[in-house]
Amino acid sequence: MADALEDVEMPCRTTFFDDPMFGGPKATVTSIQPDGTVTTDGKAINPSPVALFEPVASVMIEDTRTGTIHEARTEGIIGNGFHRIPRGIMASVPVEGWGLYRTPTGLMLRDPLGGVWAKGAVELEPAWLSEATSHGWVTVFYGPRLGIRVPPGRHPSSYTLSERISEFRQGRSMGLCAAANVRWHPIAPEETMNWVLLPAGIFGQPLPLAYVPQFSFTRLGGPEAFGFVPAPDRFADVPIAVGLAADVTLTDVDLFQPHLDEGLDFVGGYRPTRDPLYRDWHAAAHSNGRILVITGHQDLPAGPAHRHDDPRDLMERVHRVVKESFVAIVPVSKTHRFGKPSVQSEHA
C-alpha cells in the first residue's frame, strides 16, 4: 500500500472544457442534469485548459465508524484543499498554494508544502500552453477513474470515447473524482525535490550521507531551526542536529521530530526502492548510529544518471551545490516512528 501511495508517476492527459468528456463541443454549459447530461447554448467559446491525473492503482480503505469505502489518495487530496466533484456538479473552485508545473517531460502537481502528488509524461500542445499561460490557472482533475488509462488487456484504439466518458461519470458518481483550479507555472520549480543517498567516506568523513531537498524544512522554520549550519570547509566541524532524528528502515529513510506526537512529527522522507546500494547504506547508518544530512535547493549531481559524466566536472558541480547548502549530523533512531524496534535493537 505504501508503494502505491507514494507512486506519483501516473498517466496524464491535457484537454479543454469543450472536450466531449465534459459535454462539449465548444459551447457554454447552461445546465447539468442529475444524470450527468450537459446542456449547452451552442456558442463557440474560448475553452479553459484542463489537466487530468489518474493514479495507476487504487487504494481502497474502510471508515470503520460508518462502514463506507473510500479511495485513500482521493480523500487525501480533498483533505489538502481539492474539492469532490460528484456526478451532476462541475464547479471549478480555486485551491490556495497548489501549483501545476511544466516539466521537461510533461506536468507536475505540487501542494502548498512542495510535496509532489502527481507527475505525468505528456506532450503539451502549443494551443493548450497558450491558454494555460493566458488564464494563469488550469482546472486539475485527480482520481482513479478518469477515462485515461486503458483497461488491462485492451488496445488503446479499442477503448472508445463513449467508454471513457462512462468511466469518468461512474468515477464521479462514486465520489472518486477531485478537482480544483490550480495556479499554472510555465517553468519548472528551481528548487530540487530529489533525495540522494551517498555511501560513507564522501567528503572525507565516515558517515553515510543523505542529501535532502530544503523545502522539507521550509515550513518548519528552515534547516537553521534544527541546528544546521552552512556547509563548512572541513566536515569534521559539523554539529549534531537539534530535535531531529532519522528513521532508517529496510524500505524508507524518514526525518522526524522525536519530541512530537505521531502524525505531527514528520519532516521529510524517501523510499529508495530502485537503489541497488541502499542495503549497504542502511547497514552503515545503523552501524554508525548517525547519518550526515546535507540540505539545499539545487539538484545534487549524483546517482545513476550522472555515473557516465566526467568525474572531475561531476565533483566540481557537487562541491558547488554543497557549498550553498546546510549540514548537520542526525542520529538514527533505535526504534521506528511507529514503535517497532529497529534491526539493531532486535538483534541486541
Side-chain angles (χ1 to χ4, degrees):
M1 185 174 73
D3 285 341
L5 288 173
E6 295 186 18
D7 185 8
V8 298
E9 301 280 352
M10 61 187 68
C12 173
R13 178 172 173 251
T14 57
T15 185
F16 299 94
F17 258 126
D18 63 3
D19 191 295
M21 187 79 72
F22 310 118
K26 289 190 181 299
T28 301
V29 175
T30 56
S31 65
I32 303 176
Q33 306 303 318
D35 65 352
T37 301
V38 177
T39 303
T40 68
D41 66 5
K43 295 179 181 178
I45 59 172
N46 222 13
S48 300
V50 176
L52 302 98
F53 292 97
E54 184 174 337
V56 174
S58 298
V59 180
M60 308 308 293
I61 55 175
E62 180 181 1
D63 186 333
T64 56
R65 300 167 298 177
T66 63
T68 55
I69 305 297
H70 303 284
E71 204 283 321
R73 276 176 295 192
T74 299
E75 299 307 309
I77 202 168
I78 290 171
N80 281 275
F82 268 57
H83 313 277
R84 196 184 309 278
I85 307 296
R87 189 170 175 178
I89 299 176
M90 286 290 288
S92 299
V93 184
V95 60
E96 292 295 329
W98 285 73
L100 182 68
Y101 294 81
R102 184 180 185 180
T103 70
T105 57
L107 296 173
M108 174 177 61
L109 178 65
R110 294 179 68 189
D111 64 26
L113 300 179
V116 177
W117 282 76
K119 293 171 70 176
V122 60
E123 185 175 346
L124 301 176
E125 298 293 337
W128 189 92
L129 287 169
S130 176
E131 288 300 323
T133 302
S134 175
H135 282 79
W137 52 263
V138 173
T139 300
V140 175
F141 287 84
Y142 182 96
R145 301 196 65 177
L146 299 182
I148 303 175
R149 289 191 307 115
V150 178
R154 296 281 297 274
H155 189 274
S157 62
S158 72
Y159 192 41
T160 65
L161 176 60
S162 62
E163 288 179 301
R164 293 176 187 272
I165 293 174
S166 176
E167 181 183 353
F168 177 70
R169 290 180 175 176
Q170 288 173 2
R172 286 172 55 200
S173 66
M174 296 168 64
L176 300 177
C177 179
N181 286 348
V182 176
R183 181 64 59 188
W184 168 243
H185 297 269
I187 301 175
E190 293 182 0
E191 62 178 337
T192 184
M193 290 160 290
N194 298 319
W195 282 58
V196 176
L197 302 183
L198 295 173
I202 298 294
F203 304 124
Q205 56 81 42
L207 303 177
L209 184 151
Y211 183 81
V212 180
Q214 194 166 323
F215 79 78
S216 296
F217 296 96
T218 301
R219 64 187 173 88
L220 301 170
E224 300 99 322
F226 294 90
F228 281 68
V229 298
D233 293 330
R234 295 178 62 252
F235 278 81
D237 302 327
V238 175
I240 305 292
V242 178
L244 188 67
D247 184 14
V248 181
T249 73
L250 290 173
T251 58
D252 298 86
V253 181
D254 291 336
L255 298 180
F256 71 103
Q257 302 173 80
H259 58 284
L260 296 183
D261 292 336
E262 181 184 312
L264 301 174
D265 60 351
F266 185 71
V267 175
Y270 176 56
R271 180 169 284 251
T273 51
R274 299 174 186 173
D275 187 345
L277 304 178
Y278 178 65
R279 185 170 291 274
D280 291 338
W281 193 97
H282 168 274
H286 280 285
S287 175
N288 284 279
R290 300 182 298 173
I291 61 174
L292 179 69
V293 174
I294 299 177
T295 181
H297 290 294
Q298 304 176 58
D299 267 321
L300 186 71
H306 299 271
R307 284 177 184 164
H308 301 296
D309 290 5
D310 185 295
R312 290 170 297 181
D313 292 343
L314 186 61
M315 285 309 298
E316 183 179 340
R317 282 183 289 159
V318 167
H319 281 289
R320 189 161 57 243
V321 171
V322 170
K323 204 171 181 181
E324 298 181 18
S325 302
F326 292 84
V327 61
I329 292 172
V330 177
V332 174
S333 176
K334 294 182 179 180
T335 58
H336 296 318
R337 288 176 61 217
F338 304 111
K340 182 181 177 182
S342 70
V343 175
Q344 264 57 32
S345 54
E346 285 173 350
H347 288 171

